Amino acid sequence: MGQIQISNVYKIFGPRPHNAIELVRGGMSKDDLLNETGHTIGVQDVTLTVEPGQCTVVMGLSGSGKSTLIRHINRLIDPTAGEIIVEGQDILALKGRELEDFRRRMMSMVFQRFGLFPHKTVIDNVAYGLDIKGGSRAEKRANRETARHWIGQVGLTGYEDQYPSQLSGGMQQRVGLARALATDADILLMDEAFSALDPLIRREMQDQLIELQDTLHKTIVFITHDLDEALRLGDTIAIMKDGAIEQIGTGEEILQRPQTEYVRRFVEDVNRGRVLTAGTVKLECSIVRQDTTPDEALRQLGEGGLRVTYVVDAEGRLVGAVTAASLRQGQRDDIPTVDSLAEAAPTATEDMVLEEVLPMTVGEDIPVAVLNENRELKGILPKDAIIRALAEEAQLTAEADR
Amino acid sequence: MDASSIFSLVLCAAIVGWIAWAAARRHEALAEGYRAHAVGAGAALVVLVPGLAGLWKFLTGLEFDTSIIPLDVWVDGAVDWLLLKVGDPLDQLNRWVVHKIGFFERFLHQSIAWPLLTLLFTGVAWHASRNFVVTVGVACAFLLIWSMALWKPTMQTLSLMSVSILVTVVFGLPLGILMSQSDRARSIMLPILDMMQTMPSFVYLIPVVMLLGLGNFAGVIATMIYAAPPLIRLTDLGIRLVDKEVMEAATSFGASRWQKLFNIQIPLALPNIMAGLNQSIMMALAMVVIASMIGVRGLGQEVLFGLQRQEPGTGFIAGLSIVLLAIVLDRITQSYGRRMETHRTVSH
């Protein structure tokens, strides 16, 4: 069980949600329900596990219920049916003070339109989550120091005494982020946090979040309608449509194996080069140990009809690549083992994305060698394999059209 | 009873019942089982029974102008009962308030008061507006009033106004906050406020005078009834207009209802509350002449004299003084309201 466990949650808006939920469970569609009873489905039978320290992205278009879903986690919205467990605690059972206390300790939230308090200065905004817990004068002073620290972390030092209306959108959202981080809660809820920002600033904020997350390891639930953003930030991605989850998986799983037509159409336009990694696309290759003779190596190449083989040491670490031509030359020169024939090969690590690998292949005859973190050879990436991976979706679509 | 009148009555009851039933059906609590039907049937009966009774009464030869529902008699009874029960304590309160207002008034009449007060208002105007024209205007208005020899009645009016507005704020602000916090309180308050604003003020002057006697206290209460609705409405509106996401943010950090109210909602509603206060002050000034009819002294009384003695000049200068007082108070409160708007709205 994860840190947050959402099980079979339904949310129906309208005067009599409990009657309507039976109809939905009976299979009535969103449109039919609206037309016949005037009820709207917000969230439909959602089950989602959020693992600690990970960034779980819920993505969907407007009206897909993603913002409604995230508001269930801190009970800004109460579900019509279902169960929500946060760190083993059934949060739907919380009332009054318990609920306030739970919100103060366990999670903080960043909002699409920032949700800053316009009548408070930046530092008072950031300290809000701390001040609200009450406490002595000394504690309030300590809160200011904490707030100052987080304002520095998001790069707004010097703006402490400004009001939100004096800041640009990107800066306002940095205040929102600092305010959420200042409470030191483990769980960070981000509702389309970067959607209102223009593309360059959005990219900057994403980088900042990734950087902060590297040291903080918060449990993040991130809502977005932007698939590129989801793929950049998400360890796990859940795609929502009409209040229900269509598919949950890692970014690559969703790109490589879309489970529904909706998801497939969704991922069509994604820049695959930015998401697919060398590790997933790599091919098997021919390997020779560094103490192999050129004769033996040539024989191996001949069997596979190959032009290049890779030389590894006893631990499987890459030494270099040899071509058939240089092997024949070595044969003639009576060279005892292949390692002195090996020439440098372009290398990539498994977690590099294709966009980064592609430039290495330019003007290079030898396919890129894919290594793990110990420099062990795991496979290779010939130019055509990269291009095929990048073009796969287009091909599939073309086939489907035929 | 002829058939056509019974038919139209039944039709009327059926329509009322149907509307009530339809409204009840939309309520989750009333939608269960036959509750909505019961509500509908009840509403129909409310129309049908008195209607039939009335028809019967009419057709069996009673006078046409006999009231079927003697509301007037009930109200008379209620006021009499109130007079009997709370007459004495009210009288005490009356004396106390009149004494307080009197003290205030006597101070304002001192010869030293007028330059002091002119200076004070000029200072406040400058503090509020930081505007040279407004400040000089305020000073000129006070000088003009003084030079028309209307200082005394103006101060009487001003002191009554101040007390009325104080009472209005003391009652109006909490009521407005209550309305903003509960939809049920709002649905109860709205028709009452509508009534306070549309009921001709002479109507409530009668019981007020009966209960409180002629004089300043009755004037304060009557003024309050007339002037409170805008403050109550705009307090409610201002709090309800606070951005939804800002409220969600406060909630998500674990703010309690009171913390949200005092830290977020009221501060952000202040420009609207100030606008409400401004409106209330203007309404209170509009009440001055009517209040003079129940024995409140001041500028209203001067207008009344003008009317009674057929002296248009007397009426005009008193009226002009009311207008000047209104402009002074309006500019000052509006300037404070505008000042509050800075840092209370967010641009994206």
Side-chain angles (χ1 to χ4, degrees), chain A residues 71 74 76 103 109-111 114-117 125 128-129 132 179, chain B residues 243-255 260 264:
Chain A
R71 280 167 172 70
N74 58 1
L76 287 177
R103 286 173 177 150
M109 191 160 176
V110 183
F111 293 85
F114 323 136
L116 300 181
F117 308 119
N125 262 287
Y128 184 78
I132 214 168
R179 178 176 66 177
Chain B
D243 186 78
K244 184 171 158 279
E245 228 181 44
V246 169
M247 290 313 296
E248 277 189 330
T251 311
S252 76
F253 282 97
K260 276 186 273 188
I264 313 294

Side-chain angles (χ1 to χ4, degrees), chain A residues 341-358:
Chain A
L341 294 169
E343 51 191 297
T347 59
T349 50
E350 282 181 302
D351 57 357
M352 284 170 89
V353 293
L354 295 188
E355 205 176 55
E356 295 171 292
V357 180
L358 198 55

Side-chain angles (χ1 to χ4, degrees), chain A residues 71 104 113 118-119 132 172, chain B residues 245 248 254-255 259 263 343 347:
Chain A
R71 280 167 172 70
R104 287 175 191 183
R113 289 179 305 112
H119 59 306
I132 214 168
Q172 288 187 34
Chain B
E245 228 181 44
E248 277 189 330
Q259 283 174 323
N263 284 333
H343 302 317
S347 56

Side-chain angles (χ1 to χ4, degrees), chain B:
Chain B
M1 258 190 266
D2 66 299
S4 71
S5 52
I6 293 180
F7 174 74
S8 54
L9 198 69
V10 169
L11 191 68
C12 216
I15 292 172
V16 168
W18 181 73
I19 291 171
W21 170 76
R25 232 164 53 99
R26 301 176 69 98
H27 250 277
E28 183 143 35
L30 294 175
E32 300 294 322
Y34 290 101
R35 279 184 217 170
H37 293 84
V39 168
L45 282 179
V46 165
V47 174
L48 205 58
V49 171
L52 284 175
L55 262 179
W56 180 75
K57 203 171 165 186
F58 174 60
L59 293 166
T60 49
L62 279 164
E63 298 275 336
F64 188 63
D65 55 3
T66 311
S67 61
I68 295 158
I69 305 172
L71 196 57
D72 48 349
V73 179
W74 298 345
V75 171
D76 285 350
V79 173
D80 283 344
W81 181 83
L82 263 179
L83 210 53
L84 210 66
K85 290 285 174 195
V86 296
D88 277 346
L90 267 180
D91 210 39
Q92 299 276 319
L93 187 67
N94 189 357
R95 250 176 266 228
W96 184 77
V97 171
V98 168
H99 178 74
K100 288 291 165 204
I101 300 176
F103 177 79
F104 200 45
E105 265 184 42
R106 276 193 299 281
F107 166 71
L108 292 175
H109 296 162
Q110 305 286 316
S111 53
I112 186 75
W114 92 259
L116 269 182
L117 218 66
T118 306
L119 259 177
L120 178 75
F121 269 85
T122 310
V124 169
W126 173 251
H127 181 253
S129 66
R130 303 292 152 96
N131 182 322
F132 189 68
V133 179
V134 170
T135 312
V136 171
V138 166
C140 288
F142 272 78
L143 282 173
L144 188 58
I145 289 171
W146 177 73
S147 56
M148 290 188 298
L150 283 174
W151 184 256
K152 190 175 165 183
T154 303
M155 286 308 108
Q156 285 169 336
T157 294
L158 190 63
S159 57
L160 186 94
M161 278 262 321
S162 311
V163 174
S164 305
I165 290 301
L166 195 73
V167 176
T168 301
V169 170
V170 166
F171 286 100
L173 210 57
L175 277 175
I177 292 168
L178 179 72
M179 253 174 99
S180 71
Q181 298 295 303
S182 143
D183 285 339
R184 181 163 297 176
R186 188 166 198 259
S187 61
I188 294 170
M189 282 298 295
L190 278 179
I192 296 177
L193 291 176
D194 289 341
M195 218 162 90
M196 284 163 81
Q197 283 183 301
T198 47
M199 184 73 82
S201 38
F202 287 107
V203 173
Y204 51 79
L205 282 182
I206 308 164
V208 165
V209 168
M210 282 179 71
L211 286 169
L212 306 169
L214 292 171
N216 279 342
F217 190 33
V220 166
I221 299 300
T223 306
M224 190 199 78
I225 295 173
Y226 188 65
L231 179 69
I232 299 175
R233 278 184 204 274
L234 280 163
T235 302
D236 169 50
L237 182 73
I239 290 176
R240 283 177 187 265
L241 280 182
V242 172
D243 186 78
K244 184 171 158 279
E245 228 181 44
V246 169
M247 290 313 296
E248 277 189 330
T251 311
S252 76
F253 282 97
S256 68
R257 193 172 194 152
W258 291 108
Q259 283 174 323
K260 276 186 273 188
L261 188 61
F262 288 109
N263 284 333
I264 313 294
Q265 289 177 305
I266 293 178
L268 289 177
L270 272 181
N272 272 312
I273 295 176
M274 273 310 281
L277 185 66
N278 175 284
Q279 286 301 303
S280 286
I281 292 175
M282 296 302 110
M283 304 265 294
L285 273 171
M287 192 65 183
V288 162
V289 176
I290 292 171
S292 73
M293 294 176 186
I294 54 169
V296 174
R297 283 166 305 164
L299 290 170
Q301 204 181 24
E302 294 292 315
V303 175
L304 205 62
F305 286 158
L307 188 69
Q308 286 163 348
R309 301 173 191 157
Q310 307 216 342
E311 292 174 3
T314 310
F316 178 74
I317 56 168
L320 183 64
S321 297
I322 294 175
V323 171
L324 288 173
L325 205 55
I327 292 174
V328 167
L329 295 172
D330 177 64
R331 292 302 179 271
I332 289 174
T333 47
Q334 264 195 21
S335 303
Y336 274 122
R338 258 201 297 279
R339 292 263 304 273
M340 281 174 183
E341 271 169 36
T342 21
H343 302 317
R344 284 198 164 79
T345 47
V346 192
S347 56
H348 297 297

